[in-house]
Amino acid sequence: QVQLVESGGGLVQPGGSLRLSCAASGSIFSIYAMGWYRQAPGNQRELVAAITSDGSTNYADSVKGRFTISRDNAKNTVYLQMVSLKPEDTAVYYCNAVAKVYPGRNTLDAWGQGTLVTVSS
């Protein structure tokens, strides 16, 4: 009912930058919140950043000041600009959307397939 397509991952050197994108499509009535989570090998999935439809944002302490989340509501797309990347940012990054979907406007928690970000020299 909701498909999330991520792009922008890859290999970057420490101190470098990357921009992740995630576009939502499907039987969407509205999207309340979109965000990014990440999971490193051996670790649990953790919240990186999230943004609501009114622009309120929330960041993990470890990325504050380095990552910026933004959203284009008209395109149902969320972005994550990452700068000053560190090796510990290496993980699979997953897009998430909390949406109301047709036909019954039920709330759905959707996930993307993930995109790998590797920070290494």
Side-chain angles (χ1 to χ4, degrees), residues 1-78:
Q1 290 175 307
V2 177
Q3 295 79 41
L4 301 178
V5 178
E6 301 135 330
S7 61
L11 173 65
V12 63
Q13 292 186 342
S17 302
L18 279 176
R19 187 190 194 213
L20 305 182
S21 300
C22 172
S25 63
S27 304
I28 299 170
F29 171 74
S30 65
I31 300 179
Y32 169 68
M34 298 186 78
W36 292 93
Y37 289 71
R38 66 186 181 187
Q39 187 168 17
N43 290 356
Q44 291 186 333
R45 191 174 296 188
E46 62 176 2
L47 173 69
V48 176
I51 185 168
T52 62
S53 56
D54 65 359
S56 298
T57 58
N58 184 35
Y59 293 93
D61 288 342
S62 59
V63 306
K64 284 180 181 177
R66 300 189 298 121
F67 291 10
T68 302
I69 191 169
S70 61
R71 177 173 170 175
D72 186 333
N73 289 333
K75 296 181 179 180
N76 286 337
T77 299
V78 65

Side-chain angles (χ1 to χ4, degrees), residues 97-115:
V98 179
K100 289 190 180 293
V101 298
Y102 292 110
R105 302 185 187 178
N106 297 320
T107 299
L108 182 68
D109 194 11
W111 291 90
Q113 292 297 308
T115 184

